[in-house]
Amino acid sequence: MTNTFPQVVTIAGSDCDGSAGMEADLHTFFMRHTYGMAIVTACVAGNSIGIQDSVALPIPFIKQEFASLAADFNIKASKTGMLADAELIKTIAQEYQKYDFGPLVVDPVIVTKHGATLLEDDALNNMRNLMLPLATVITPNFAEAQTLVARQLNTATDIKQAARQLQQMGAQNILIKGRHDDVHQAVVTDYVLLASGEDFWLEAPYIDTQHVNGTGDSLSACIAAELAKGRTVADAIKTAKQFVYQAIADPIDVGHQYGPINHWATNDIK
Ligand code: PXL
């Protein structure tokens, strides 16, 4: 055995309802024809209505998850999701640097669709100082980008400046997701700033649905999966945007409120 099939790992929380976190990442890795693994950082008890409880896993156990995978697999790309506290972020940054797990997509999960805070305030500085410099790609949504640069982003120019600032903080490629406001009612606009300095906007029609749990997780997982297969960052981001759009556009009827996206609907994406 040559151990060469594209392998990708998520470093994330588990959400027992299967819609977000590690579970959404694994659905995505599977749909993108990669072999997915999960270094679990925390477990969330939740459903489509909200999050009821969460626990962080012990740091020595998380370190063992890294060591176990590094001893056996040939990981070509990785992503981070929910990293709930400052110590956890520090551990993940250190462990990631011990091994060769390929390019890293950092999804700075700060607030869920339910409005629950998944990243405590004191962790923000570690996210800025320790994780951003490791990021091949960082994928903040609009609100997370505002939090990371600590100011309001009102105009397209503000968003571009924020992306440049995130690059100065050490992240190589920046995707600021989901500008959808009074002016941009019918479309969701994402801004991409590549390491080369090239930049572009991506647009998709806005879909009015509550089935958007796990959207950000799946987007960053898709980018990581494409990178594991050797595609460029720009291609990976474009595929991921299409992936998430199709998974939102064709919903499945699960749960009572903020349901999951439909990973199967992405079957025909090349
Ligand atoms: O979608 C953000 C997210 C990430 N990770 C975990 C979650 C959620 C949202 O519920 O539970 C574990």
Side-chain angles (χ1 to χ4, degrees):
M1 297 292 268
T2 55
N3 210 5
T4 51
F5 189 83
Q7 296 161 46
V8 52
V9 68
T10 178
I11 305 160
S14 160
D15 189 337
C16 72
D17 83 350
S19 71
M22 173 202 99
E23 286 80 358
D25 295 341
L26 291 177
H27 295 324
T28 305
F29 294 156
F30 176 81
M31 286 308 296
R32 296 309 300 155
H33 298 225
T34 54
Y35 182 74
M37 293 167 246
I39 291 176
V40 186
T41 56
C43 291
V44 166
N47 52 31
S48 76
I49 298 155
I51 287 179
Q52 288 80 44
D53 201 0
S54 71
V55 288
L57 292 194
I59 298 287
F61 177 79
I62 295 172
K63 289 185 176 174
Q64 184 58 55
E65 292 183 285
F66 271 92
S68 296
L69 295 188
D72 196 14
F73 296 96
N74 184 8
I75 293 170
K76 290 293 188 201
S78 41
K79 67 149 278 190
T80 61
M82 176 184 174
L83 307 176
D85 61 43
E87 195 196 358
L88 191 51
I89 295 176
K90 196 168 149 204
T91 303
I92 301 305
Q94 282 167 351
E95 293 301 300
Y96 172 76
Q97 289 176 90
K98 274 194 203 163
Y99 307 105
D100 180 5
F101 282 179
L104 178 66
V105 183
V106 173
D107 182 15
V109 183
I110 297 172
V111 177
T112 71
K113 288 276 173 338
H114 307 293
T117 299
L118 289 184
L119 190 64
E120 290 161 9
D121 283 351
D122 67 346
L124 262 177
N125 280 336
N126 280 2
M127 176 61 77
R128 288 190 188 103
N129 300 331
L130 304 180
M131 289 308 297
L132 258 64
L134 302 179
T136 307
V137 186
I138 186 168
T139 62
N141 63 30
F142 189 69
E144 289 160 348
Q146 294 192 136
T147 305
L148 286 169
V149 300
R151 67 168 188 282
Q152 291 259 325
L153 306 176
N154 299 317
T155 63
T157 308
D158 289 345
I159 293 175
K160 287 181 168 196
Q161 277 168 354
R164 269 200 296 279
Q165 196 176 335
L166 292 172
Q167 251 181 2
Q168 280 153 11
M169 289 156 83
Q172 293 168 42
N173 299 276
I174 319 295
L175 166 59
I176 298 181
K177 302 172 296 190
R179 185 167 184 233
H180 173 253
D181 52 31
D182 293 345
V183 186
H184 303 81
Q185 281 281 330
V187 288
V188 182
T189 316
D190 300 343
Y191 177 66
V192 180
L193 176 60
L194 298 176
S196 62
E198 186 195 335
D199 68 343
F200 53 92
W201 296 86
L202 291 173
E203 279 191 359
Y206 175 70
I207 300 166
D208 190 12
T209 170
Q210 290 203 315
H211 284 236
V212 287
N213 245 18
T215 306
D217 314 71
S218 301
L219 183 99
S220 52
C222 187
I223 297 171
E226 299 312 307
L227 294 179
K229 291 185 284 188
R231 297 183 64 195
T232 65
V233 169
D235 276 358
I237 289 174
K238 287 174 193 162
T239 298
K241 173 94 176 163
Q242 191 191 353
F243 183 90
V244 162
Y245 174 73
Q246 281 186 215
I248 296 175
D250 187 0
I252 42 172
D253 186 12
V254 177
H256 287 84
Q257 200 177 352
Y258 294 100
I261 62 172
N262 178 7
H263 294 86
W264 292 307
T266 64
N267 203 17
D268 62 340
I269 299 175
K270 289 285 169 268

